[in-house]
Amino acid sequence: MTADGSRPNLPPLSLHVPEPKFRPGDAVDFADVDVPPAGAQRRPDTAAAPDSFHELAYTLVRVLDDEGQAVGPWNPRLTPDTLRTILRDMALVRAFDERMFRAQRQGKTSFYMKCTGEEAVAIAATHALASDDMCFPSYRQQGILIARGYSMVQMMNQIYSNSGDVLQGKQLPIMYSSRDDGFFSISGNLTTQYPQAVGWAMASAAKGDTRIAATWCGEGSTAEGDFHSALTFATVYKAPVIFNIVNNQWAISSFSGFAGAEATTFAARAIGYGIAGLRVDGNDALAVYAATLWAAERARTNQGPTLIEHFTYRAEGHSTSDDPTQYRSAGEPTAWPLGDPIARLKAHLIAIGEWDDERHAAMDRELAEQVKAAQKEAEKNGILGHGLLQPLDSLFDGVFEEMPWHLKEQRQQMIDEETASGRPWARKS
Amino acid sequence: MNMIQAINSAMEVMMARDPNVVVMGEDVGYFGGVFRATAGLQEKFGKTRVFDTPITECGIIGVAIGMGAYGLRPVPEIQFADYIYPALDQLVSEAARLRYRSAGQFTAPLTVRSPFGGGIFGGQTHSQSPEGIFTHVSGVKTVIPSTPYDAKGLLIASIEDNDPTIFFEPKRIYNGPFDGHWDRPSKNWSGHEGGAVPEGYYRIELGKAAVVRPGEAVTILAYGTMVHVARATIEDMGIDAEIIDLRTLVPLDVETIEASVKKTGRCLVVHEATRTGGFGAELSALVQERCFYHLEAPVERVTGFDTPYPHSLEWAYFPGPVRIGEALKKLLKD
């Protein structure tokens, strides 16, 4: 070493900071995205050891080919009725998203998050699960509730934080919770639901139940410590849980490279834990369905957890507070090589003679009307912009099962101040 | 019984009464825990109800939340309170708020057991008192026993409680009360009234303090190890102090505190945790708000210093008899 500490015989080190391929104004070319042919991936027995199919973590399990045919061993061979149900649910969540996005822009609520382009991830998976399996979603799986037939009016009531909101205005819009529908309370802190899902699954196993758990997170939040804790727990106890990583390429404005995508796939994270790993075409509803069914069968037969990376694309902004034109090329969503999940399933149904453009257009009109009617119904209970729609003192309910003195005292202080101010806010009792 | 045995007995009683109670944590299964608090439980109740976990505190608490949401009643152990920080997000953002954010659809009925406090030459990573972090959070209860009898009754009440509870065990007094003089021989619990612990079920309601020694001259508010240190100090000094063992910090028994300070007119708060923003600040403020016109001297605090917990200078850090004595003299001088 020289006196100044440098080593002249070595080149200086350099720090690698990942950079997405396209920024605003750039032309988009996704030629380097490796899209293997549909039907080419083997489907191992659900009792096979996770280390016997590592290659499935590096490819893409695909069912729908370019001609709209369902091909290969992963074809779940769904009836046309089931296919139409899945298509309808995907179209419904898209219609719902569009309407609620507009509602936010009209000032009727504070916030909304669309799942455009990712509809297959939640909806096809939900149809492959049993209706009483427990879901621990992230914030972009509104499709689970839609697929389970949860009331859209209830969803909107919460988005508006109105007097009909079952969560009493205590949660952000879109952070739903429905115990009866097997939909766990959504947290804004990322991937906290992962170990929680494992705990639920472990409890189910310990009790000799038959229900399993499924959880979802984005590719960006696989960087969270909770993700790795959850995978460790799941592999240690062979928990009956399905881990879904929704790789939609963008975590707000950070591209997937900041979660490690340049080095490997997200499905490959399973390998280090000895967990079954699949990488799936997330815009192929049949592939998502088949992978989920396969993982569910593994869980239900005590083969342990499965991690599924859904390779997809977030066609819209992160939320209503985000402007993706500021950080990514405008051409990306349309150039995405895996297409649009709704268009692809529609094309499949048409290709097998079970659907046509006219019926599709009629369905879209009907769904738009259905969403509009739900919105009218929900708005009867008020919108966020109308002020405080919950009883004022409900603010203190539910911090604890029974209210301790200090909360009672603070509640009384608030009511006294309110009374003195003469503001006309509705109150309990 | 010593405090470890009392804690073990509480878990055994609750596991026998309720098949949904499960015990989990690093080393708690076959080995029975580094402090032996869970000894014998796995043998009695099986590996699906008492099991070792990976070393990931956020995983332990996250998994326990999921188990609670399923309908179990988990009693996770965090081996030392110093290691609770990696689990903080799961406790603060998840367990504490689950009932509120889901309007009661989901709850997290956890009882997180964790040995805390210093005086055992544990250095920075085996001595901390993080209770103030949890008392600052809405939605968790914080419980700290000072005797084996209380430990069992409070732990049973915590396990039965439907809210998340942090149960901090003052490890310096696991084996016997401590008078604050590190160079004197240790006592054990067999000579102490709090060491008489019934075998079966009993509970001590959360939110009720204990007046461990009635007195007229000054009120001392303490919990855990410091109850014993304060008591030995006033007995050595011959001061007629009223010592209140808070037992639970949230919910706090403010009525007992208020009645005592209004009677004595003086108040000393003692805790081992660092001073700034500690729970003593809250106690001091409450007393000032509620008893100001009864006070004959400013409220005093004796606490740990605002430094990390030192190893070799542990007894300089520890708020022992000398510092408590000086504070009492100051409080009582007029």
Side-chain angles (χ1 to χ4, degrees), chain B residues 310-324:
Chain B
H311 186 237
S312 71
L313 295 177
E314 171 166 277
W315 295 112
Y317 176 97
F318 191 86
V322 175
R323 293 210 332 254
I324 294 173

Side-chain angles (χ1 to χ4, degrees), chain A residues 34-299:
Chain A
D34 186 26
V35 181
Q41 298 74 30
R42 67 180 171 132
R43 183 183 185 279
D45 189 273
T46 51
D51 63 0
S52 66
F53 46 85
H54 280 174
E55 87 279 6
L56 294 176
Y58 296 99
T59 178
L60 277 180
V61 170
R62 305 182 71 228
V63 173
L64 290 174
D65 69 12
D66 294 345
E67 279 72 51
Q69 296 296 333
V71 296
W74 286 94
N75 180 3
R77 299 177 190 283
L78 300 178
T79 64
D81 278 344
T82 303
L83 291 170
R84 279 187 289 260
T85 303
I86 294 173
L87 180 73
R88 185 183 178 84
D89 282 348
M90 294 203 304
L92 180 56
V93 81
R94 188 167 289 184
F96 184 91
D97 274 359
E98 278 168 14
R99 193 109 203 144
M100 289 297 99
F101 185 89
R102 226 174 324 145
Q104 191 276 340
R105 289 293 189 250
Q106 291 164 342
K108 292 175 176 175
T109 187
S110 57
F111 184 73
Y112 192 74
M113 297 179 103
K114 289 172 142 185
C115 65
T116 312
E118 303 172 37
E119 291 88 349
V121 172
I123 285 169
T126 307
H127 281 287
L129 292 169
S131 60
D132 56 356
D133 288 335
M134 188 71 191
C135 296
F136 289 77
S138 171
Y139 43 66
R140 218 180 296 280
Q141 283 81 49
Q142 55 266 56
I144 297 169
L145 286 173
I146 294 281
R148 285 192 168 166
Y150 187 73
S151 153
M152 285 193 293
V153 177
Q154 297 273 53
M155 291 169 82
M156 291 170 176
N157 283 340
Q158 195 200 324
I159 289 163
Y160 292 141
S161 283
N162 65 22
S163 60
D165 177 3
V166 293
L167 301 186
Q168 303 166 358
K170 291 186 156 84
Q171 253 295 27
L172 272 173
I174 67 100
M175 294 207 180
Y176 312 103
S177 175
S178 179
R179 189 186 178 92
D180 293 344
D181 295 274
F183 191 96
F184 192 73
S185 160
I186 295 174
S187 176
N189 291 27
L190 298 178
T191 321
T192 51
Q193 71 276 15
Y194 254 54
Q196 293 163 5
V198 175
W200 196 98
M202 286 172 66
S204 183
K207 282 286 182 185
D209 201 337
T210 57
R211 294 173 294 163
I212 63 169
T215 185
W216 287 258
C217 76
E219 89 285 348
S221 54
T222 59
E224 293 282 3
D226 299 62
F227 174 87
H228 301 276
S229 295
L231 265 60
T232 303
F233 262 87
T235 189
V236 167
Y237 303 100
K238 282 197 163 190
V241 60
I242 305 172
F243 297 115
N244 295 284
I245 299 170
V246 185
N247 179 1
N248 67 11
Q249 315 299 323
W250 291 95
I252 310 188
S253 73
S254 297
F255 87 114
S256 57
F258 283 102
E262 288 180 341
T264 185
T265 69
F266 291 97
R269 296 211 176 348
I271 292 172
Y273 292 96
I275 289 175
L278 295 179
R279 192 160 179 265
V280 169
D281 177 349
N283 289 15
D284 176 346
L286 295 187
V288 171
Y289 185 101
T292 306
L293 194 68
W294 182 86
E297 190 176 308
R298 285 180 51 79

